């Protein structure tokens, strides 16, 4: 089944490519954040709100993207403008995700975690352990994202990957917000006019 042209086949194919990249990025974010939530919950501490918020927004956005592809393929002309509006809202949501995830981890250097002296590493591990012990099985967000991201290189790289993919999704949603109205107006110009 060929892709719908909407009066501009190159733009239509570009939009489909953007949608595929959005789905891939969101599935990666879901898997990473779900893994982080699982690791954090296993310690008996409530996960940071940044991770839970990112997971929630990304799950909702993924569901919308998968449904919107079907509407796009069925050549729902007015649906293009509706999708443009929803994409704009998701753009705002992913800007918030990128800022809230990036703010606590932007200065973390993942490569130096574990490369410090034994005394610094021991005192850091002790401080983290005391913090975890004080917050185990307590409601509330006592340990921030930076505390979890800074414990291991793996956690640090995972959080930085989520941050980077959030920024990439901002770019992709900006692109789809521009392409959808353009496709709507191109299709409107090429639509056959009815003879009265």
């Amino acid at each position: 089944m060929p892709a719908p042209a909407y009066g501009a086949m190159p733009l239509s194919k570009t939009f489909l490519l953007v949608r595929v990249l959005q789905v891939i990025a969101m599935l990666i974010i879901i898997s990473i954040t779900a893994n982080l939530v699982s690791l954090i919950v296993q310690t008996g501490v409530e996960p940071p709100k940044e991770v839970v918020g990112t997971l929630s927004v990304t799950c909702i956005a993924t569901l919308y993207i998968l449904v919107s592809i079907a509407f796009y393929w069925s050549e729902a002309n007015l649906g293009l403008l509706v999708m443009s509006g929803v994409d704009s809202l998701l753009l705002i949501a992913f800007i918030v995700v990128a800022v809230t995830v990036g703010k606590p981890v932007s200065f973390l250097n993942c490569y130096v975690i574990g490369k410090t002296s034994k005394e610094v590493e021991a005192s850091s591990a002790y401080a983290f352990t005391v913090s975890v012990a004080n917050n185990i099985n307590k409601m509330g967000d006592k340990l921030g994202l930076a505390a979890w991201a800074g414990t291991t290189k793996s956690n640090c790289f995972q959080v930085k990957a989520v941050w980077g993919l959030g920024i990439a999704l901002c770019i992709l949603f900006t692109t789809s917000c521009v392409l959808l109205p353009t496709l709507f107006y191109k299709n409107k110009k090429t639509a056959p006019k009815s003879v009265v």
Side-chain angles (χ1 to χ4, degrees), residues 138-152:
K138 291 184 181 176
M139 290 302 289
D141 193 18
K142 302 292 183 193
L143 290 174
L145 182 60
W148 287 106
T151 56
T152 65

Side-chain angles (χ1 to χ4, degrees), residues 19 60-69 83 86-87 90:
R19 277 296 197 243
I60 292 167
T62 305
L63 178 64
Y64 158 73
I65 292 299
L66 293 174
V67 170
S68 74
I69 291 172
M83 286 191 300
V86 176
D87 279 22
L90 288 175

Side-chain angles (χ1 to χ4, degrees), residues 22-65:
Q22 287 170 340
V23 169
I24 291 170
M26 286 189 278
L27 290 176
I28 293 170
I29 288 175
I30 289 171
S31 65
I32 291 172
T33 53
N35 181 46
L36 284 171
V37 168
S38 172
L39 291 173
I40 294 169
V41 168
Q42 286 175 0
T43 64
V45 179
E46 189 173 322
K49 61 185 178 294
E50 297 93 349
V51 176
V52 175
T54 301
L55 183 59
S56 302
V57 167
T58 308
C59 286
I60 292 167
T62 305
L63 178 64
Y64 158 73
I65 292 299

Side-chain angles (χ1 to χ4, degrees), residues 131-161:
S131 181
V132 169
N134 290 337
N135 294 300
I136 284 182
N137 295 325
K138 291 184 181 176
M139 290 302 289
D141 193 18
K142 302 292 183 193
L143 290 174
L145 182 60
W148 287 106
T151 56
T152 65
K153 278 187 182 182
S154 173
N155 286 359
C156 184
F157 283 123
Q158 287 179 36
V159 172
K160 292 250 182 175

